[in-house]
C-alpha cells in the first residue's frame, strides 16, 4: 500500500522560503500526479498546485503563481513544494496528495492518498 | 474565498440521515466537472469518501453516497454514527481559475 511521508514541522521568518518534502513508499511513484494542499488553522482546504513525475511539468493555482515551486526527484520517489516570500498568512498545515488515476495528469481527478501533513509556522 | 459553497454545519441524531450540499456555478460543477468528497477527522489528513460524483473507494461504507445535479452536488450520510463526526469537503475543477477548488467545508455533529 502506497504511503506518503512528509518532512517535519518548520518555523520560518517572514520573507524567507520553506521547502517541504513528500516521500512515496510501497508503490509506483512516477506515473501518479502529486498535488499540494494547505490548510490554515481553523480554515478549509486550498489547492496550491501539482505535478506528474513522468512528465515533470508543474501546474499552479493562480493565487500562488510565482511564489510556489513544485518538483520531484524520481530517484528517491520524493516530491517537493517550495514556497517563497513567506508571510504570516502562510502559516498552515501543508499536505501532499496523490491523484487517483495513473499515467496522465488531470485536474479533474480526486486525491486518494494523503501525506500526514507538515505544519509551517511563519513568525518573526 | 472558495467558489464552492457548503453549509457551515449540519447535525443529526444517531441513525438519522443528513445531507451536505455543495453549490457551485457554470464554471465548475455546472460545467459538468466531477465532484469529489473528503472526510477530515480532527487532527488528521483528509480521506477520500466519494469520487466522480457518486463512486465509493474500497472500504468506504455504503452509508455514504454522492449525487450531482445542475450546479450543485450533495453528500448523504444515512444511519449516522458517532464516528461520522468530522469536517466534510467537496472538491471539483473550476475553468475560470484553471485549477482545482475545494468547498468551504461542513462540520457534521452527531447529537
Amino acid at each position: 500500500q502506497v504511503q506518503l511521508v512528509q518532512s517535519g514541522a518548520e518555523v520560518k521568518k517572514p520573507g524567507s522560503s520553506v521547502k517541504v518534502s513528500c516521500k512515496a513508499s510501497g508503490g509506483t511513484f512516477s506515473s501518479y500526479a502529486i498535488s499540494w494542499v494547505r490548510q490554515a488553522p481553523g480554515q478549509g482546504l486550498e489547492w496550491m498546485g501539482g505535478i506528474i513525475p513522468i512528465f515533470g511539468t508543474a501546474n499552479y493555482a493562480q493565487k500562488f503563481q510565482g511564489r510556489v515551486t513544485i518538483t520531484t526527484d524520481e530517484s528517491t520517489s520524493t516530491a517537493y513544494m517550495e514556497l517563497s516570500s513567506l508571510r504570516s498568512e502562510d502559516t498552515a498545515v501543508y499536505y501532499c496528495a496523490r491523484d487517483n488515476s495513473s499515467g496522465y495528469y488531470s485536474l479533474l481527478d480526486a486525491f486518494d492518498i494523503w501525506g500526514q501533513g507538515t505544519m509551517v509556522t511563519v513568525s518573526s | 474565498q472558495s467558489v464552492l459553497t457548503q453549509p457551515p454545519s449540519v447535525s443529526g441524531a444517531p441513525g438519522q440521515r443528513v445531507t451536505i450540499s455543495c453549490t457551485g456555478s457554470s464554471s465548475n460543477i455546472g460545467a459538468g466537472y466531477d465532484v469529489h468528497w473528503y472526510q477530515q477527522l480532527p487532527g488528521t489528513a483528509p480521506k477520500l469518501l466519494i469520487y466522480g460524483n457518486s463512486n465509493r473507494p474500497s472500504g468506504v461504507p455504503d452509508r455514504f453516497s454522492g449525487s450531482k445535479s445542475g450546479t450543485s452536488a450533495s453528500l448523504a450520510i444515512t444511519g449516522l454514527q458517532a464516528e461520522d463526526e468530522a469536517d466534510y469537503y467537496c472538491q471539483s475543477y473550476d475553468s475560470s481559475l484553471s485549477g482545482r477548488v475545494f468547498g468551504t467545508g461542513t462540520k457534521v455533529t452527531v447529537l
Side-chain angles (χ1 to χ4, degrees):
Chain A
Q1 180 73 324
V2 176
Q3 279 191 307
L4 300 177
V5 180
Q6 300 183 221
S7 49
E10 304 261 13
V11 179
K12 294 292 182 180
K13 299 285 189 188
S16 67
S17 298
V18 68
K19 192 170 186 177
V20 181
S21 68
C22 169
K23 183 175 175 61
S25 62
T28 305
F29 172 74
S30 297
S31 59
Y32 286 87
I34 296 285
S35 279
W36 289 88
V37 175
R38 78 176 186 179
Q39 186 172 36
Q43 303 299 308
L45 303 170
E46 185 173 34
W47 179 74
M48 300 178 69
I51 189 170
I52 182 166
I54 54 171
F55 299 137
T57 302
N59 167 263
Y60 303 116
Q62 292 177 4
K63 174 178 179 178
F64 299 99
Q65 286 272 7
R67 211 160 65 92
V68 67
T69 304
I70 297 173
T71 56
T72 59
D73 180 344
E74 289 186 73
S75 68
T76 60
S77 299
T78 303
Y80 298 91
M81 185 283 299
E82 184 169 22
L83 187 63
S84 62
S85 302
L86 290 170
R87 36 210 188 229
S88 58
E89 310 90 87
D90 294 318
T91 293
V93 176
Y94 289 77
Y95 295 100
C96 59
R98 193 191 79 164
D99 279 14
N100 68 340
S101 296
S102 68
Y104 60 91
Y105 182 24
S106 171
L107 294 175
L108 309 185
D109 284 344
F111 303 121
D112 63 347
I113 297 174
W114 294 69
Q116 84 276 20
T118 297
M119 181 71 210
V120 175
T121 303
V122 182
S123 174
S124 54
Chain B
Q1 205 79 341
S2 177
V3 298
L4 301 180
T5 303
Q6 300 177 230
S9 63
V10 299
S11 61
Q16 282 192 328
R17 178 180 187 268
V18 297
T19 61
I20 301 169
S21 60
C22 174
T23 303
S25 67
S26 58
S27 62
N28 41 70
I29 299 175
Y33 299 120
D34 282 348
V35 177
H36 319 296
W37 290 91
Y38 302 87
Q39 177 193 61
Q40 187 176 32
L41 298 170
T44 69
K47 169 192 170 184
L48 181 62
L49 210 55
I50 297 288
Y51 68 95
N53 305 315
S54 59
N55 302 292
R56 281 187 310 275
S58 173
V60 173
D62 60 6
R63 301 186 295 105
F64 296 92
S65 62
S67 63
K68 188 181 90 166
S69 179
T71 58
S72 295
S74 291
L75 173 72
I77 310 173
T78 57
L80 196 63
Q81 299 180 5
E83 66 207 51
D84 299 333
E85 199 159 275
D87 293 324
Y88 293 80
Y89 293 91
C90 59
Q91 180 239 315
S92 186
Y93 171 80
D94 188 276
S95 58
S96 295
L97 297 173
S98 299
R100 288 153 135 159
V101 290
F102 285 94
T104 49
T106 298
K107 181 173 181 59
V108 170
T109 301
V110 181
L111 302 172

